[in-house]
Amino acid sequence: MKKYLLLWFVFFILTLPGYSQGARSIVLGKKLVNPQSFSGTITISNILSKRLETSFQKACAVQANCGSNIMASTYGPSKRIKGPFVIRPQAIYPNANFLTHSGQLSDYFLTNNNRAVEKFYPRMQLRQEQIQQHLADFEAATIPVSHPEKEDMHWLASRIPTDTNYLLIGEAHRFPEIRQAVSTLLHEIRQRFPEKQIFLFSEFLMEGEVWTEQDAFELYLKQFREVWNTAQKENIPAIGLEPLFVKDKDANVHIIHKTGKKTLGVASSHKHNIWASLEGMKLRNTRWMEVIKTYRENYPDALFIIYAGSWHVEYALPYSLTEYLPAKETFVATLFPNCHPYHRTCSTITSTFDQLTDGKFPQRVLQFRDPALSRLAGMDVQIKVSVFPHEY
């Protein structure tokens, strides 16, 4: 009897308003709950767990209906995070005050990710079909190029319209030759616009960082030092975009997602860093845009160069930065290797557009006359950079 009385007393104390530390009750799943109370925490966890399971089943069904999809190798349904999260939930979701611990954060994150899979898989499937239907149009609209490879960045700078306010440079990661090309492009852009105020925003610097030469030994990603040095030389301030939570304790947390395929009868899955997931991309790109918008308010006439991974900036991809920017002021250039140097066949299918067209456009430099086709393809200009085997 004493045992039951003690349990009742503990439960009563934990659910008192004073124990909630001033937190207000909220409506979640048609239930009024106090996130900071013992019973409220249990209720919220149960609701989030059910939502995760439902979203997972729906996303798996959509994935199965869509069949082969370019998104499958990177994005897929999931209900498991290998980690777990360490960061405070409100550092990622400032308005989600009902999240009180890492388990709830994981379920909430994965539910949002599954809902994004359900939303974007059909859209990407439709885009693939549209591209395949317009292959002849792409071929007819391809602009012929005859300049030598060493002039690619000079040529690219010359193709940027003078009324461009946002130049988005999307790269394939890990290739020093591409970083060298970006460095050269910055020089060429300064030659093209000698008097214009220019800023360089990048995924490869942390949010709030403004590159100076004194930062040389404290870089988040040291391999980009040449790019920042060139930007500084050309009087182009380099501004960080990447939120701190990407670098901090949760940097090695991974999402385990279903590919929709089977190997020897067993459903296969992939492991990716959570910040490369659909929900991770959304959270990061949203934060990036907050930084960019703040600078735009202070520098309304400047050219903003945004340098990041290609899937952050290509047209028509989920949560692309192009969704947030004025179409008439935006120009997208993507840089990919001319081959995969460590692939067993040294495959030349290296870009998103290559995958969507089965490599039918192998040109080193690719641009289309029709802006509508460019948006469908994902970029205004695509350039393949010659790469060689090297240590990553």
Side-chain angles (χ1 to χ4, degrees):
M1 182 67 179
K2 291 182 179 180
K3 179 179 179 181
Y4 290 111
L5 287 174
L6 178 61
L7 289 173
W8 179 89
F9 178 76
V10 170
F11 180 81
F12 175 78
I13 292 297
L14 290 175
T15 54
L16 283 175
Y19 183 78
S20 69
Q21 300 176 352
R24 295 182 179 181
S25 295
I26 61 171
V27 176
L28 189 67
K30 297 182 180 181
K31 295 183 179 181
L32 185 66
V33 295
N34 185 329
Q36 298 298 328
S37 70
F38 179 74
S39 61
T41 298
I42 293 176
T43 299
I44 291 171
S45 295
N46 289 338
I47 291 173
L48 293 176
S49 179
K50 291 178 181 178
R51 288 182 177 179
L52 173 57
E53 181 62 35
T54 299
S55 70
F56 177 75
Q57 296 300 334
K58 288 183 176 180
C60 286
V62 169
Q63 183 187 53
N65 289 336
C66 286
S68 178
N69 195 300
I70 190 176
M71 297 175 65
S73 62
T74 305
Y75 306 132
S78 176
K79 55 181 178 179
R80 184 162 68 95
I81 282 179
K82 184 177 182 181
F85 278 112
V86 177
I87 197 169
R88 189 173 66 90
Q90 284 68 41
I92 304 176
Y93 297 106
N95 298 321
N97 293 324
F98 54 88
L99 300 176
T100 58
H101 58 73
S102 63
Q104 292 178 349
L105 175 58
S106 295
D107 286 356
Y108 187 73
F109 184 100
L110 289 171
T111 297
N112 289 340
N113 192 70
N114 289 337
R115 289 172 176 173
V117 169
E118 182 183 0
K119 173 182 177 181
F120 284 108
Y121 255 70
R123 294 186 185 185
M124 290 299 293
Q125 188 71 20
L126 177 61
R127 181 190 174 205
Q128 288 182 217
E129 293 170 358
Q130 290 174 334
I131 287 177
Q132 289 294 325
Q133 292 166 4
H134 287 85
L135 290 178
D137 297 325
F138 282 114
E139 185 68 38
T142 300
I143 296 175
V145 172
S146 59
H147 66 264
E149 182 177 4
K150 65 180 181 180
E151 296 179 10
D152 279 351
M153 294 304 109
H154 174 78
W155 177 89
L156 175 54
S158 73
R159 306 300 292 183
I160 301 170
T162 56
D163 58 352
T164 298
N165 286 325
Y166 300 95
L167 169 62
L168 277 55
I169 304 173
E171 70 153 27
H173 296 324
R174 299 182 176 181
F175 295 96
E177 296 87 354
I178 291 180
R179 297 193 291 271
Q180 174 61 56
V182 173
S183 180
T184 302
L185 179 59
L186 292 178
H187 170 74
E188 295 294 345
I189 290 172
R190 174 52 76 195
Q191 297 303 304
R192 173 89 189 280
F193 304 105
E195 304 300 326
K196 196 171 186 65
Q197 190 171 34
I198 304 174
F199 290 88
L200 173 64
F201 298 88
S202 183
E203 164 188 8
F204 311 117
L205 287 171
M206 300 310 296
E207 181 180 313
E209 288 186 356
V210 180
W211 163 261
T212 64
E213 197 170 1
Q214 287 73 29
D215 297 326
F217 299 103
E218 298 180 7
L219 275 177
Y220 169 47
L221 295 170
K222 290 183 171 60
Q223 60 267 39
F224 293 88
R225 183 182 302 171
E226 181 180 2
V227 175
W228 316 139
N229 284 339
T230 298
Q232 186 174 43
K233 180 180 178 181
E234 301 295 346
N235 192 27
I236 302 175
I239 314 297
L241 292 176
E242 195 73 303
L244 294 176
F245 55 69
V246 175
K247 177 185 176 184
D248 289 342
K249 297 177 182 179
D250 292 314
N252 294 317
V253 179
H254 289 78
I255 184 171
I256 312 298
H257 72 80
K258 299 295 183 182
T259 65
K261 299 179 180 179
K262 291 186 177 181
T263 303
L264 299 177
V266 179
S268 63
S269 62
H270 278 316
K271 180 178 77 171
H272 287 286
N273 186 282
I274 52 169
W275 305 120
S277 68
L278 278 172
E279 178 67 3
M281 291 282 282
K282 176 185 177 182
L283 291 169
R284 292 164 67 198
N285 285 7
T286 301
R287 284 283 289 267
W288 293 7
M289 283 308 305
E290 291 176 5
V291 176
I292 292 167
K293 288 179 179 178
T294 298
Y295 271 85
R296 180 55 76 195
E297 291 173 359
N298 295 319
Y299 304 96
D301 301 320
L303 170 61
F304 285 7
I305 301 173
I306 304 170
Y307 172 37
S310 64
W311 277 44
H312 287 279
V313 306
E314 290 185 42
Y315 298 120
L317 286 177
Y319 306 118
S320 167
L321 293 181
T322 59
E323 292 184 6
Y324 307 93
L325 300 173
K328 294 182 179 180
E329 302 174 17
T330 303
F331 190 88
V332 176
T334 56
L335 304 177
F336 290 93
N338 64 335
C339 70
H340 288 297
Y342 293 110
H343 193 278
R344 63 181 181 276
T345 61
C346 198
S347 173
T348 57
I349 297 179
T350 62
S351 73
T352 311
F353 190 62
D354 286 341
Q355 296 176 60
L356 292 168
T357 60
D358 300 317
K360 290 182 173 62
F361 295 84
Q363 293 93 326
R364 188 187 80 246
V365 178
L366 194 59
Q367 185 178 28
F368 304 108
R369 294 187 181 89
D370 185 345
L373 288 177
S374 296
R375 289 190 167 272
L376 183 58
M379 75 295 173
D380 295 296
V381 170
Q382 173 182 285
I383 294 181
K384 297 290 189 70
V385 178
S386 293
V387 298
F388 306 94
H390 55 79
E391 293 292 333
Y392 283 173

